[in-house]
Amino acid sequence: MNDKTNEDLNLKAVFLGPKSENKNTFEKYLKMMFEDHSEWRKNYHPEDKEIINRKEKRTEDFQESVDRMEDVLKELSIRLRSQSLPWHSPRFLGHMNSETLMPAILGYFGAMLYNGNNVAYESSPGTSQMEEEVGEDFAKLMGYQDDIGWGHICADGSIANLEAIWYARNIKSLPLAMKEVAPELVEGKDEWQLLNMSVKEILDLVEKVPDKLDELKEHSAREGVEKIAKLGKWIIPQTKHYSWLKAADIIGVGLENVEAIEVNEKFRMDTELLEKKIREFAAQKIPVFGVVGVVGSTEEGAVDDIHKIIEVRDRLAKEGIHFYVHIDAAYGGYARSIFLDEDFSFIPKDKLKEKYKEHGVILDPNTKWPEDDTYEAFKAISEADTVTIDPHKMGYIPYSAGGIVIKDKRMRDSISYFATYVFEKGMDIPALLGAFMLEGSKAGATAAGVWAAHRTLPLNITGYGRLIGASIEGAMNLYEYLSDKKFVVDGKEIILHTLIRPDFNMVDFAFNEVGNTDLEKMNQLNHDFYEEASYVRGGLYSNDFITSHTDFAVPDYGDSPFGYVNNIGISREEWDKVQKVTVLRACVLSPFLNDKKVFAEYMEKIEKAIQDKLQKIYNDKKINK
Amino acid sequence: MNDKTNEDLNLKAVFLGPKSENKNTFEKYLKMMFEDHSEWRKNYHPEDKEIINRKEKRTEDFQESVDRMEDVLKELSIRLRSQSLPWHSPRFLGHMNSETLMPAILGYFGAMLYNGNNVAYESSPGTSQMEEEVGEDFAKLMGYQDDIGWGHICADGSIANLEAIWYARNIKSLPLAMKEVAPELVEGKDEWQLLNMSVKEILDLVEKVPDKLDELKEHSAREGVEKIAKLGKWIIPQTKHYSWLKAADIIGVGLENVEAIEVNEKFRMDTELLEKKIREFAAQKIPVFGVVGVVGSTEEGAVDDIHKIIEVRDRLAKEGIHFYVHIDAAYGGYARSIFLDEDFSFIPKDKLKEKYKEHGVILDPNTKWPEDDTYEAFKAISEADTVTIDPHKMGYIPYSAGGIVIKDKRMRDSISYFATYVFEKGMDIPALLGAFMLEGSKAGATAAGVWAAHRTLPLNITGYGRLIGASIEGAMNLYEYLSDKKFVVDGKEIILHTLIRPDFNMVDFAFNEVGNTDLEKMNQLNHDFYEEASYVRGGLYSNDFITSHTDFAVPDYGDSPFGYVNNIGISREEWDKVQKVTVLRACVLSPFLNDKKVFAEYMEKIEKAIQDKLQKIYNDKKINK
């Protein structure tokens, strides 16, 4: 199908397929995983007798219980089939979903039978080891140093973000603890200086007093509000994902200390404003303990200019102002694999096109991606202190699988908990993961699923890079195809206006009737469209095209959407009055829409579905009148 | 096998079985769930063509990718089989694990194929509805009122506990917010009174000012440290599970505000000391914002006297002192089903024996369980504000599935987050679960697995009650069998000393050589035994008997273990010197050890295994000498 070498993964071989094309393959390995487990049970002490015998199985009592289980499973199947989203079809272009990877599903299923608990190595030697390997994969993906970077799987992106702010809060408070516990380490530093130290400086100092580690931790922010109160502000982009408000609430720094920086017309954090704001705070001696950059915003797929955030950090550091940097790449994290060569080195910008051609990452060389800023942003992730990455988004792993990556393993001590007396022995805990993370018990199966996916698709341009490439190319195809497309309903022209050229794989758009200058009317049209293109009115299994929607409203977006609506014909006055624009939102995760033939086939169907839905909306309006 | 009626579930029909006895049944429904899904894909728009075609499947490129996936899955299977714990066998009596329920595994697998995300109804209509039903099951199980109590699934018990302290912190701070935002609600109350209001009082007041809800929330503890600083103490049992330290750290109240109450010789929180301590704080005008009672401690299976904690609460309430009560029933929560009749009413104490006989819950009527206090403790759970319950423990559900139950739905507002502008419409969010919990994205499959288990086994004596009964009866059988059992190695007598008559289904024990008065030597023997009976030295698949271990050390246990070690022959002086006793820990979750024949068969094997392991330890000692 293209020039890729045989080392490159064929994406069509690792998904079940929209029409279950790989059904036999799936079933073969499903059976294998189960059979292996079943025989493993039987052969653990083969001399042990059966406990459930045939005679008992024939009793009415036994059969009735089996019947009940069958009834339940059948009801479950009915509910699933009638009330689930058809993610698997390219007709679904809404939330961050599509098919998930066969090796991940089969790996999860296989490991679920053994039911390891990765809270402790003792309860899951096999899957704990896999999680450790996945953590190494994550660290390599982010460009962190081998054996220094580290990562683990967690429940989801909200938990990863919460863990990150926990890291930042506790580490940034350690110098205050030093002042009390080991003042010699920070001699001559005033409180402002203590609160403006880098993670590396702090960890290097902690390492000098290993005996005082426990006491230092006791006097850090984990002690209570006194230290927390001094840390200052936590900065996020204005489009603030609700997980960040939750996280600031939970972690005790409070919403009063969350500072939102406006986004620009590309929906990226305005880094000039960021620098200005931090300088303003500094002038008032208010520290900033951390800044969040977003790689793949949930509503626009925008990629913040991480390289510019890092530049701000480095510039201010020279003036004695230092903040922790966390990257919320829950959505976009896996996309860094599209920039990594077979040896996991970051591919030079001028080699990208050639590499993409060689490995079949982008099929059409005219595809306009990435922008320079996007390239630089992904590159600069390696400079951040922590990164959130969700395997259940662009890792094509079933829910729930989040992840967090840290730049320096030593950071773990700032959040760890275990009974000291256990450590006196120094032998009991080869890997008590539960001591080094926010959660406790956790499925070994999740690690197995992610591990199986990573082993099948390396996190570089031969594996995940190809998958991400297919997704992005599909999104670019969609963007080009939909932009300014005209529909005619009852003689009225309706134009589909795309929001921005996507930084990643999300295409936002809105319909407006030609000549309409009423924003509420436009919003109503798009909201009606959403209802037709979702379970609300359009149905699920019976629906021809499914998408999602979002609102850009002034409280979260400021003026950033104005340029867009203004181009569509909405005046300044109208925008200031309505303060909100409803848009439709298509995450293009399908791995098959980079194929021009498949794309053309589905676009014909989707275009017809859009036409039908618009027609229905206009018909309904007439009835309502 | 007993007198149970046909409405009662046959436990042997719903597990795969230690020797995979129900393999055919499992395979049949596994195939059914997959087939149903596969055909569902194919029939979604049957007119859409296949994307992966046969010609492409025959290419070398495609085949190599399938080969790679197969290699990965085979390696996965090898690792799982060689590095997993044989939970399925009654030879495993260690951590809180055993077989998990077939309907849960199959339900999870089936739903994983559809990959719903229960963060929002829109992404998972079917499984969101199931989670709502599971939440109702939880509320009913705890004795909360229909339509007022509520619950949901979460990642694990640590997350549920964190969510509970988040509830407590934010709700208890609301009266402070009222003082600022709606002072008329709390007219005449001083700060002490504001900080000693019950959840119900607070929620009733909030309900009076619906328009001010957002503002009240903004001025609650979510605002920042100022409010948090006023809340006072959070009280836990001295055996403090590390999840509570983590939670207090994360939530910002800090370790300085965690107060531990000593446990008695039954390892239950001393409720007299609890009352005394709270009164001492009150005398200093230090509020207590919450108390945690534990139902099923992780190391002993102890059940705190919840009824006495509730008595303390109610008594102090009359004096104007009021604290939030959370029950950490991560381990023991499901066991409340053994007290619920078919109509979910709490069975009167004098009817228990009869009901247990009728429904085959406890097979041997001489089984000494429950103690009066245990009965009363489970009954009183209905009086608590929140409860943690882990389906992946006594729910026999695969990891990860935790849960939290709240007494009053209105509590949810204190922790909820969503963009206000979305609610202006009032129509977009039929059930945005992500707005009412700590996590964000979450597997619909987890809800499906738990739902399928609950539908197969009702949460009363006809379903889960029988399963819990089998587990407890097995534990009682083990306790009676092991207590004071004598082993002879190289002419030396070694006695197995059980710790306490279990409140629940965990049997702790330790070996000591007759005549030995050296606690370090005794600890060494038990630690050596643990190593032989675990992956450390004894192996996994090749091991004849696997158990777990724990240490009771003075920092976490105070003097409570002294009675036990003293009975074994350890002097006061020796205990004060060593300050720690190592014990072995057997959670009896196997559903089959209530059957006297099965029990006898396995005990013979386990006794021999113990003898062999002790012999090996003594042999190794000789070699080392």
Side-chain angles (χ1 to χ4, degrees), chain A residues 284-498:
Chain A
Q284 304 166 65
K285 287 287 175 200
I286 298 171
V288 167
F289 77 100
V291 172
V292 176
V294 174
V295 171
S297 62
T298 47
E299 308 306 311
E300 312 82 11
V303 175
D304 278 344
D305 296 319
I306 305 303
H307 50 301
K308 293 182 186 165
I309 294 175
I310 298 296
E311 279 165 26
V312 171
R313 180 191 71 183
D314 293 348
R315 189 156 49 237
L316 290 174
K318 289 182 191 136
E319 303 173 31
I321 300 167
H322 199 284
F323 54 86
Y324 184 105
V325 174
H326 174 71
I327 306 299
D328 184 351
Y331 181 24
Y334 271 86
R336 204 170 186 273
S337 59
I338 203 173
F339 299 105
L340 299 185
D341 211 342
E342 278 160 295
D343 64 356
F344 295 92
S345 63
F346 207 86
I347 301 167
K349 207 186 309 184
D350 59 4
K351 298 268 186 249
L352 270 188
K353 287 264 169 204
E354 178 191 322
K355 284 284 176 187
Y356 288 174
K357 185 164 188 290
E358 182 189 337
H359 292 277
V361 173
I362 301 279
L363 305 184
D364 178 349
N366 296 317
T367 305
K368 287 183 197 142
W369 193 91
E371 276 188 29
D372 283 356
D373 274 335
T374 306
Y375 174 90
E376 296 298 340
F378 274 99
K379 191 170 179 188
I381 291 175
S382 65
E383 299 290 320
D385 296 301
T386 37
V387 185
T388 289
I389 178 171
D390 275 1
H392 63 211
K393 292 196 172 87
M394 294 307 295
Y396 293 79
I397 305 286
Y399 296 106
S400 305
I404 181 163
V405 204
I406 65 177
K407 190 175 191 170
D408 188 331
K409 262 184 209 190
R410 297 177 300 171
M411 295 165 69
R412 294 185 303 195
D413 281 327
S414 69
I415 62 158
S416 63
Y417 279 93
F418 22 64
T420 318
Y421 63 85
V422 178
F423 263 96
E424 280 167 21
K425 261 201 198 90
M427 58 193 295
D428 277 351
I429 304 180
L432 184 59
L433 186 53
F436 297 104
M437 62 177 188
L438 205 144
E439 291 149 85
S441 294
K442 56 194 306 224
T446 311
V450 178
W451 181 90
H454 286 192
R455 290 299 158 272
T456 308
L457 289 78
L459 290 155
N460 60 35
I461 49 166
T462 71
Y464 268 104
R466 298 197 78 229
L467 178 49
I468 305 290
S471 159
I472 290 173
E473 189 169 356
M476 294 300 149
N477 288 343
L478 186 71
Y479 172 75
E480 301 289 353
Y481 185 86
L482 290 184
S483 291
D484 303 321
K485 187 157 282 293
K486 188 167 79 182
F487 296 85
V488 180
V489 180
D490 296 350
K492 285 172 192 128
E493 283 187 10
I494 298 164
I495 307 289
L496 187 160
H497 302 274
T498 47

Side-chain angles (χ1 to χ4, degrees), chain A residues 535, chain B residues 118-122 124 128 132 428-436:
Chain A
Y535 77 97
Chain B
N118 279 14
V119 70
Y121 185 86
E122 183 183 349
S124 53
S128 282
E132 195 64 20
D428 278 350
I429 304 180
L432 184 57
L433 185 52
F436 297 104

Side-chain angles (χ1 to χ4, degrees), chain A residues 27 36 124 151 203 212 284 289 353 401 411 453 491 498 583 607:
Chain A
E27 223 163 2
D36 278 0
S124 53
L203 297 177
K212 290 188 173 171
Q284 304 166 65
F289 77 100
K353 287 264 169 204
M411 295 165 69
T498 47
V583 304
E607 196 173 330

Side-chain angles (χ1 to χ4, degrees), chain A residues 4 20-21 29 36 38 40-41 48 57 61 68 70 77 99 169 249 400 443 456 541 543 605, chain B residues 4 20-21 29 36 38 40-41 44 48 57 61 68 70 77 99 169 249 400 443 456 541 605:
Chain A
K4 73 186 202 48
S20 224
E21 294 92 326
Y29 298 121
D36 278 0
S38 176
W40 177 81
R41 285 197 178 203
D48 292 351
K57 283 192 203 172
D61 180 61
R68 191 194 298 179
E70 177 170 327
S77 176
E99 291 211 65
R169 193 199 68 176
D249 166 353
S400 305
T456 308
Y541 202 59
N543 210 329
K605 292 167 192 221
Chain B
K4 72 184 203 50
S20 224
E21 295 93 326
Y29 297 121
D36 278 359
S38 176
W40 177 80
R41 284 197 179 202
Y44 173 69
D48 291 350
K57 284 193 204 172
D61 178 60
R68 191 194 296 178
E70 177 169 327
S77 177
E99 292 211 67
R169 193 200 68 177
D249 166 353
S400 303
T456 308
Y541 203 59
K605 293 168 190 222

Side-chain angles (χ1 to χ4, degrees), chain B residues 136 145-149 409:
Chain B
E136 286 164 15
Q145 235 177 293
D146 281 354
D147 294 329
I148 295 180
K409 262 183 209 190

